[in-house]
Amino acid sequence: MRKLWTLACATALMTAAGATQASDIEPAVVFDFGGKFDKSFNEGVYNGVERFKEETGIAYSDFEITNETQFEQAHRRFAQRGANPIVAVGFSQAGAVEAVATEFPDTKFTIIDMVVDLPNVQSVVFKEHEGSFLVGVLAAMASESGKVGFIGGMDIPLIRKFACGYVQGAKYANADVEVVENMTGTTPAAWNDPGRGGELAKGQFDRGVDVVYAAAGGTGIGVYQAAADEGKYAIGVDSNQNHLHPGTMLTSMVKRVDLAAYNSFMGAKDGTWASGVSALGLAEGGVDWALDENNAPLVSDDMKAKVEHAKADIIAGKIVVHDYMSDNACPS
């Protein structure tokens, strides 16, 4: 009996020690261009890590970069100081994560929007084409002109993926719809240029567009303002942006980057953090369209029924939304 009691006590102590070790974390996050208050991609992550802090009482460190050279510096500095896990916000940080994660194999890294294949890296990517399909359906149904627009940030395959899904959804709702597309630029500055976003939106409105979807980070703020000024509709991205201009924001394509960041921190705390790749779409609750009190008057029963039917069919595999990144092409 004494041996059994000793063994039980030892097991309990080991379990308690393991729990303490798992919860004894120093989380950190490196934000992408545009900063944590961009009202879009970064701010979604910020909301996720703030939720973690409020629920657990565990503080986190963060860094907002101003140029690309700071990515690797920030990750290395955090790792040297014992931060763990470290969340990297955005595809631009892949090189930095790969370099620093290799140097610090005992530190956990989570990268959002890119895959880094290392045993201590957790990669979270999203099926943005599926969520963009849904808002494309709503755009085409809300349009009176039969012309809808898309404004992307930096011209990269990931943003073309948003555009391609949007086009497919719009044409699903109206085969004759015309989609006008513009990209803001070819450098990271394209994520934080509201003035240029507004100019591009006004140019599209002059061409007859009456609904515009922006997948452009902070640049989208200028798009939404232009839509409000012109009495047109806009569609938000990443975070639920419906509240920015009620009456203007038709909906938002919600991308749960907040959940990716929250789960990374919580998993490290609970000892359930795991490396590998997660691809989150409609079925996984990773993307969706947003309906709340701010945009409910703009979405008719027919629109809601159509988009929910499409959503169910995508989840069931009856509709397969083409992924631009699979072949860098979009069906016409």
Side-chain angles (χ1 to χ4, degrees):
M1 287 294 293
R2 178 175 292 181
K3 287 184 179 180
L4 288 174
W5 174 254
T6 302
L7 180 61
C9 288
T11 301
L13 286 170
M14 288 175 65
T15 301
T20 302
Q21 186 177 12
S23 62
D24 186 19
I25 63 171
E26 296 183 25
V29 55
V30 180
F31 289 102
D32 203 355
F33 288 96
K36 59 187 175 185
F37 298 121
D38 65 353
K39 302 187 186 303
S40 185
F41 183 69
N42 285 286
E43 194 158 333
V45 172
Y46 170 76
N47 291 336
V49 295
E50 279 291 298
R51 175 189 166 197
F52 171 83
K53 183 175 75 172
E54 291 170 7
E55 290 183 8
T56 65
I58 299 174
Y60 64 90
S61 302
D62 66 15
F63 187 80
E64 297 177 82
I65 63 98
T66 56
N67 64 72
E68 289 185 86
T69 62
Q70 294 177 321
F71 282 134
E72 189 168 330
Q73 296 170 1
H75 282 283
R76 184 171 289 108
R77 198 163 297 144
F78 277 142
Q80 289 170 339
R81 294 175 181 175
N84 195 6
I86 302 171
V87 169
V89 184
F91 70 92
S92 299
Q93 304 196 40
V97 169
E98 185 170 9
V100 180
T102 301
E103 294 176 27
F104 295 86
D106 295 328
T107 300
K108 300 176 177 68
F109 293 81
T110 295
I111 184 165
I112 298 173
D113 266 1
M114 184 55 76
V115 174
V116 173
D117 186 15
L118 288 172
N120 57 328
V121 177
Q122 179 184 82
S123 302
V124 184
V125 294
F126 294 85
K127 300 175 185 178
E128 296 92 349
H129 51 302
E130 293 184 352
S132 295
F133 184 101
L134 298 186
V135 301
V137 171
L138 292 171
M141 294 187 73
S143 176
E144 295 182 357
S145 67
K147 293 183 179 180
V148 300
F150 175 88
I151 295 175
M154 188 175 174
D155 191 356
I156 53 174
L158 176 61
I159 299 304
R160 294 283 176 182
K161 179 181 179 182
F162 282 82
C164 183
Y166 179 66
V167 170
Q168 291 173 80
K171 290 188 178 294
Y172 167 85
N174 176 7
D176 297 322
V177 73
E178 180 182 343
V179 184
V180 178
E181 299 180 44
N182 289 111
M183 295 291 176
T184 304
T186 57
T187 69
W191 302 120
N192 195 27
D193 193 348
R196 180 60 177 156
E199 291 173 3
L200 291 172
K202 289 175 183 177
Q204 291 194 1
F205 298 148
D206 288 343
R207 295 175 60 182
V209 165
D210 55 2
V211 185
V212 62
Y213 173 34
T219 296
I221 301 303
V223 175
Y224 311 146
Q225 185 62 59
D229 293 344
E230 297 284 334
K232 310 297 185 183
Y233 289 133
I235 297 173
V237 75
D238 294 335
S239 300
N240 182 351
Q241 298 179 314
N242 294 351
H243 66 281
L244 295 180
H245 295 281
T248 293
M249 304 304 292
L250 180 64
T251 186
S252 297
M253 199 288 279
V254 180
K255 178 175 167 180
R256 297 301 305 278
V257 293
D258 61 325
L259 196 59
Y262 172 86
N263 286 344
S264 173
F265 283 6
M266 192 62 79
K269 173 185 176 297
D270 295 342
T272 59
W273 187 99
S275 61
V277 181
S278 297
L280 308 180
L282 289 173
E284 298 80 17
V287 296
D288 209 339
W289 69 288
L291 180 67
D292 57 30
E293 67 277 6
N294 293 300
N295 70 326
L298 308 179
V299 181
S300 68
D301 289 343
D302 286 345
M303 292 166 67
K304 184 177 179 181
K306 183 83 169 178
V307 75
E308 286 296 323
H309 182 75
K311 177 180 174 180
D313 280 354
I314 293 170
I315 292 173
K318 296 178 181 178
I319 295 175
V320 178
V321 186
H322 179 74
D323 182 355
Y324 177 90
M325 294 182 73
S326 66
D327 59 5
N328 284 3
C330 189
S332 58

